[in-house]
Amino acid sequence: GCLFNIKNDPTEHVNLASQEPAMLAEMHTHLKRAQASVFSPHRGTVSPKACEDALGKYKGYWGPFVE
């Protein structure tokens, strides 16, 4: 995982995960606990075409869902 100090590094360039493994583990534990209560509906199957379009056709952005 990644861990950033967004106060000192708001653009998230310095990954602190290897320097702060205990903090990373604590944050991961909180995330897993929160995820247990999140409603996450099934949104269908993953489409490789969506990634191809995002990287190529839309220059790294998710494009419109309907054209």
Side-chain angles (χ1 to χ4, degrees):
C2 299
L3 181 66
F4 300 98
N5 181 331
I6 58 172
K7 184 176 180 183
N8 295 334
D9 180 21
T11 56
E12 299 179 350
H13 283 89
V14 180
N15 184 358
L16 301 172
S18 63
Q19 297 169 12
E20 300 285 348
M23 176 61 73
L24 180 65
E26 181 181 344
M27 304 263 312
H28 191 248
T29 298
H30 287 294
L31 179 62
K32 285 197 307 187
R33 192 175 306 130
Q35 287 286 64
S37 66
V38 171
F39 175 67
S40 185
H42 177 66
R43 299 188 188 276
T45 57
V46 174
S47 170
K49 178 90 169 88
C51 290
E52 290 172 21
D53 283 351
L55 293 174
K57 184 176 181 181
Y58 299 113
K59 312 274 189 275
Y61 296 93
W62 292 109
F65 291 97
V66 178
E67 291 190 36

